[in-house]
Amino acid sequence: MENFNMPKHTSFYALGLSYKKADASIRGKFSLDAQAKATLLIQAEAEGIESLIVTSTCNRTEIYGFAQHPYQLIKLLCANSQGTVEEFQEVAYIYKNHDAINHMFRVGTGLDSQILGDFEIISQLKTAFNESKSNGLVNSYLERLVNSVIQASKKIKTQTEISSGATSVSFASVRYIFNNVDDIANKNILLFGTGKIGRNTCENLVKHTKHEQITLINRTKDKAEKLAQKLNVIVKDYSDLQIELQKADVVVVATGAQNPTVDKTILNLKKPLLILDLSIPRNVNENVIDVEGVTLVHLDHLSQITDETLENRKQYIPQAEAIIEEIQEEFISWAKNRKFAPTIHALKEKLNSIKEGELNFQRKKIANFDEEQAELISNRIIQKITNHFVNHLKDGESMEEGIEWIEKVFQLEQEKSLF
């Protein structure tokens, strides 16, 4: 990658792709595992990116950060995933400055989730923030923004019922199984992988089936054993996967692998098998449907299952949006003040310098010069002058022009703010 020397003037972007336009296959190409995210952050720092966070979930992969041009961030994403710039352009969204801020608020508060009111994304946003901060890739602007989004999320969760009722991908998975598999309480269920959605699905299944009918397999056996101990279910070795697939009536796959872990070559079936693939990228090869008796259901299909609970949640959207607007306005106000604060500080220093020069002149000229009174009066005048400029910049339509005019007239030199 080229080494971009970031200028002081950059814009804040939110860009990525989500379930709205990108199907599971495309989302899989752009998904980032822990190693890919870590590499991306290292490259971002090397490229001179001032501040950036990256999230990658089942439903979306996004970058929030400062750049001279969004292509700098797009290149980072494509360089660390299997997706191309051309594929990104077909399904992606790019938001800038205020629109990017608004997008982060809607994502972080569950309003943009595939299942309305799903607050899982906020914990992923926190994790992404902490990873970037540990890499020195979080400036004060991004830190304030993320904290504002977290604040809005908490307020919406506690003051509205937008997340009320039992509805999630795991809930939809269990409901699908119960609606499509007869006598489920006596059927064999295999959970392959212990991803979060898979774990939640397993917990829900335990409530309605016999524990001895559920088997867990994970590449790392101790993770499966911890979950099995909690739920009182059976654990088998990864080497037993093919045998357990033959025994199963239902398989829930949630391995989190970057490539398919189940395909038709390991299926030697003697009875029908329902496979639920709850992973992004897909962990089950589409070729399994070539095997007679196999039904494959993917995450996206389950996410589309709606019920009265989801419909009921929609009535709380206006309340949630009002909370977002309130906290977002507080953030915008802080950002505006932050933008002109260096100029006002430099103006004060300039006026104080003029004051000191004039007081020194008057001390030499006037025998009984009242220094205390002169200091008090001049300080009050400086404060009134700077207050006028602050009010002008706050209320003016073009803050940039106002700042530029003040700096030019008073010949100010000071560090520009990022945003």
Side-chain angles (χ1 to χ4, degrees):
M1 282 193 178
E2 299 174 56
N3 183 29
F4 290 98
N5 293 314
M6 296 296 289
K8 291 174 183 174
H9 288 298
T10 56
S11 296
F12 179 63
Y13 291 99
L15 57 84
L17 58 149
S18 74
Y19 66 93
K20 290 185 176 179
K21 284 185 69 176
D23 62 21
S25 176
I26 291 295
R27 297 204 307 278
K29 284 188 176 184
F30 285 94
S31 69
L32 303 168
D33 60 16
Q35 183 57 54
K37 283 189 280 189
T39 303
L40 190 153
L41 294 179
I42 292 169
Q43 289 179 354
E45 187 178 11
E47 297 284 334
I49 301 292
E50 169 76 16
S51 186
L52 166 150
I53 62 175
V54 55
T55 63
S56 187
T57 71
C58 291
N59 293 328
R60 66 181 71 244
T61 295
E62 294 184 324
I63 292 178
Y64 297 91
F66 289 88
Q68 192 177 5
H69 189 279
Y71 186 59
Q72 294 167 251
L73 305 180
I74 295 168
K75 282 178 70 178
L76 283 171
L77 174 58
C78 294
N80 290 284
S81 69
Q82 302 301 312
T84 65
V85 172
E86 291 73 25
E87 288 171 322
F88 181 85
Q89 289 172 333
E90 287 180 13
V91 297
Y93 44 81
I94 299 173
Y95 299 107
K96 182 178 179 181
N97 294 342
H98 189 278
D99 290 335
I101 294 166
N102 188 57
H103 179 70
M104 185 189 279
F105 269 96
R106 293 189 69 83
V107 169
T109 55
L111 292 190
D112 200 63
S113 297
Q114 192 163 19
I115 294 180
L116 178 65
D118 182 358
F119 282 96
E120 179 62 27
I121 186 65
I122 195 63
S123 64
Q124 292 157 344
L125 201 60
K126 289 178 187 176
T127 299
F129 171 79
N130 290 331
E131 288 169 350
S132 288
K133 191 166 186 178
S134 66
N135 280 272
L137 279 168
V138 172
N139 61 12
S140 58
Y141 183 95
L142 189 56
E143 182 159 11
R144 180 78 175 228
L145 175 57
V146 170
N147 285 333
S148 296
V149 173
I150 292 170
Q151 181 188 355
S153 176
K154 287 179 181 176
K155 202 167 183 179
I156 289 170
K157 197 168 186 178
T158 56
Q159 295 186 12
T160 79
E161 294 182 46
I162 201 164
S163 60
S164 62
T167 182
S168 63
V169 172
S170 59
F171 175 78
S173 302
V174 173
R175 198 174 65 171
Y176 184 91
I177 291 169
F178 275 80
N179 288 345
N180 291 276
V181 179
D182 295 331
D183 192 26
I184 187 63
N186 293 308
K187 295 293 172 67
N188 294 324
I189 300 171
L190 172 63
L191 174 64
F192 178 36
T194 54
K196 184 173 179 61
I197 295 175
R199 293 198 307 271
N200 291 343
T201 302
C202 189
E203 288 174 6
N204 284 324
L205 285 168
V206 163
K207 296 174 186 176
H208 304 287
T209 60
K210 296 176 182 177
H211 294 200
E212 64 269 20
Q213 303 297 125
I214 299 178
T215 300
L216 302 185
I217 292 180
N218 194 60
R219 288 179 184 271
T220 310
K221 192 175 181 181
D222 62 339
K223 288 184 179 179
E225 286 174 339
K226 286 178 184 176
L227 181 60
Q229 190 173 8
K230 176 184 174 184
L231 300 177
N232 190 27
V233 296
I234 300 166
V235 174
K236 293 288 185 177
D237 291 327
Y238 176 62
S239 58
D240 294 325
L241 176 61
Q242 194 162 355
I243 296 171
E244 293 303 320
L245 284 168
Q246 292 179 42
K247 295 179 184 177
D249 298 288
V250 177
V251 178
V252 178
V253 182
T255 67
Q258 290 300 300
N259 297 299
T261 53
V262 175
D263 65 21
K264 69 178 183 180
T265 60
I266 63 171
L267 297 182
N268 182 20
L269 306 180
K270 297 179 176 61
K271 58 181 177 178
L273 178 63
L274 170 63
I275 303 176
L276 274 62
D277 186 358
L278 307 184
S279 310
I280 294 291
R282 293 176 188 253
N283 285 179
V284 180
N285 195 316
E286 289 286 332
N287 67 17
V288 298
I289 61 175
D290 296 338
V291 179
E292 187 178 353
V294 170
T295 301
L296 175 62
V297 179
H298 194 262
L299 177 75
D300 279 358
H301 176 76
L302 296 168
S303 298
Q304 291 165 7
I305 297 176
T306 58
D307 58 13
E308 291 178 8
T309 303
L310 280 175
E311 289 302 313
N312 185 54
R313 288 183 177 191
K314 290 180 181 177
Q315 66 181 296
Y316 301 105
I317 291 176
Q319 279 180 262
E321 288 177 334
I323 291 170
I324 289 173
E325 185 177 359
E326 175 193 350
I327 296 175
Q328 190 170 304
E329 282 180 1
E330 289 174 5
F331 173 77
I332 296 296
S333 176
W334 172 85
K336 280 185 177 179
N337 290 340
R338 176 180 178 269
K339 191 170 186 178
F340 63 69
T343 298
I344 295 301
H345 179 72
L347 174 62
K348 263 192 171 182
E349 286 189 344
K350 185 77 171 186
L351 293 175
N352 276 312
S353 176
I354 294 171
K355 177 196 77 172
E356 287 303 323
E358 186 61 29
L359 291 182
N360 283 334
F361 175 78
Q362 296 300 335
R363 285 187 195 103
K364 296 172 184 176
K365 189 175 181 181
I366 301 173
N368 296 317
F369 179 61
D370 191 340
E371 190 164 337
E372 186 177 343
Q373 188 69 14
E375 184 83 26
L376 179 66
I377 292 170
S378 55
N379 284 343
R380 285 177 61 83
I381 291 171
I382 289 173
Q383 189 59 51
K384 286 181 181 294
I385 291 171
T386 53
N387 284 346
H388 274 288
F389 280 115
V390 167
N391 291 332
H392 171 75
L393 292 174
K394 277 184 177 179
D395 301 332
E397 290 185 5
S398 179
M399 185 187 296
E400 291 284 356
E401 287 182 12
I403 290 173
E404 189 177 340
W405 182 86
I406 294 169
E407 291 173 352
K408 186 176 181 180
V409 169
F410 290 94
Q411 298 178 326
L412 304 180
E413 288 186 10
Q414 46 86 26
E415 286 296 314
K416 304 284 186 185
S417 61
L418 248 182
F419 185 77

